[in-house]
Amino acid sequence: ICNEIMPQITPKNIERATKRCSLIHASFIVLADAPSYQELGKKSLLSRSFEGMIQESGTESSWRFRRHELSFVDDDENTRFGKSSTRSVQKERAALQQLKSLLTKIQGRVDLENADIEIYLYEGLHDKQRATESLDATTRHSLFKILGRKLASGSTHSIMAPKTRITHTNTPLESIAAYLLCNIALIKDNQTILDPFAGSAATLLASGLIIPSVRTVGIDTATNESTSRDDIREDFKV
């Protein structure tokens, strides 16, 4: 739908935006959604996104599969919804068997640590209306399923949070705020970033993490006693 309304919103653009954003955990492209594994497999095979993923995979690439379960939208007694998900290895293996005919079409080796293609199955994201729409009694009470491919992970800004940095100041700039400033400024490759009130250089550090090719320059009147230049240099080495 997004491609039809706004052609400039492509998976590649979403991937780039995700990688430089401190407020997004990860972005995914939905391959298919269905109330049952059988229907999920059929819809995935008809998906252009799945077809493109198959074409992209090769003998030199790697992939992995993960299953996460969330609570129901209308489950008032379950406080996990919208906050966290659970992962059961036993249920993940069962899901792999159910989707075996689909997943065996992906070429390459399995890599559970650092895969080129990451496939996620999310179950539980449905409400009463979608549940009652199912005419099959066996699927009416089952978890609704969404199969997706992970495009990118958001920025790991925690590595430059005030409590984890080598440099310590009385008024540190939070890492999320530093990332927001850099993105508002629309920093780009090979630019020179000048911060005339650098302080502990949080904004400059964020710009270097977002785009490693930038050159950073900081100016500040603080003495080494209040803000150590050597500590700031050590932070940039990380």
Side-chain angles (χ1 to χ4, degrees):
I1 296 174
C2 288
N3 287 339
E4 295 175 0
I5 301 174
M6 303 181 71
Q8 68 272 26
I9 301 180
T10 64
K12 202 66 181 176
N13 287 340
I14 295 175
E15 180 181 344
R16 285 197 294 265
T18 301
K19 288 180 177 179
R20 63 186 290 164
C21 183
S22 61
L23 298 174
I24 298 177
H25 176 68
S27 59
F28 299 82
I29 183 167
V30 175
L31 303 174
D33 60 89
S36 66
Y37 287 115
Q38 184 178 9
E39 188 177 344
L40 187 69
K42 290 180 180 179
K43 292 179 71 173
S44 296
L45 289 173
L46 297 175
S47 166
R48 286 185 296 177
S49 298
F50 185 80
E51 183 182 349
M53 186 178 70
I54 295 300
Q55 293 174 354
E56 182 182 331
S57 69
T59 54
E60 299 300 320
S61 64
S62 59
W63 65 280
R64 73 174 183 178
F65 174 85
R66 286 286 182 266
R67 176 195 177 275
H68 289 275
E69 183 176 316
L70 294 95
S71 61
F72 295 96
V73 173
D74 57 339
D75 187 356
D76 297 328
E77 297 180 359
N78 196 333
T79 58
R80 287 191 298 105
F81 180 76
K83 295 181 180 179
S84 62
S85 62
T86 59
R87 177 174 171 246
S88 165
V89 176
Q90 182 179 0
K91 290 183 178 180
E92 189 168 280
R93 288 173 178 170
L96 276 168
Q97 289 299 318
Q98 293 285 345
L99 297 171
K100 183 177 179 180
S101 60
L102 179 72
L103 297 176
T104 50
K105 296 183 180 297
I106 304 173
Q107 301 182 58
R109 59 185 174 83
V110 174
D111 187 340
L112 300 180
E113 298 297 329
N114 189 29
D116 300 314
I117 297 174
E118 298 182 68
I119 303 168
Y120 281 78
L121 172 67
Y122 283 96
E123 297 196 52
L125 292 171
H126 74 79
D127 53 16
K128 288 181 179 178
Q129 180 180 357
R130 192 184 287 274
T132 54
E133 284 176 356
S134 174
L135 300 178
D136 187 346
T138 59
T139 61
R140 185 176 297 125
H141 301 291
S142 63
L143 299 175
F144 195 78
K145 299 158 180 57
I146 297 178
L147 190 67
R149 177 189 177 178
K150 187 177 182 179
L151 288 177
S153 297
S155 292
T156 312
H157 60 88
S158 59
I159 63 174
M160 61 162 288
K163 291 183 178 181
T164 60
R165 287 190 60 183
I166 299 171
T167 307
H168 295 285
T169 61
N170 293 328
T171 56
L173 182 64
E174 287 290 339
S175 54
I176 291 178
Y179 268 78
L180 287 172
L181 287 172
C182 292
N183 285 322
I184 289 172
L186 300 177
I187 62 172
K188 300 177 181 177
D189 289 328
N190 302 313
Q191 284 185 329
T192 298
I193 312 299
L194 170 64
D195 187 348
F197 307 99
S200 63
T203 306
L204 299 178
L205 184 58
S207 67
L209 290 170
I210 294 171
I211 301 182
S213 64
V214 299
R215 297 176 294 275
T216 58
V217 180
I219 302 172
D220 202 274
T221 58
T223 62
N224 257 351
E225 284 72 22
S226 60
T227 306
S228 171
R229 271 65 171 172
D230 292 333
D231 287 349
I232 291 175
R233 293 189 186 96
E234 289 299 316
D235 279 323
F236 271 83
K237 289 180 182 179
V238 176

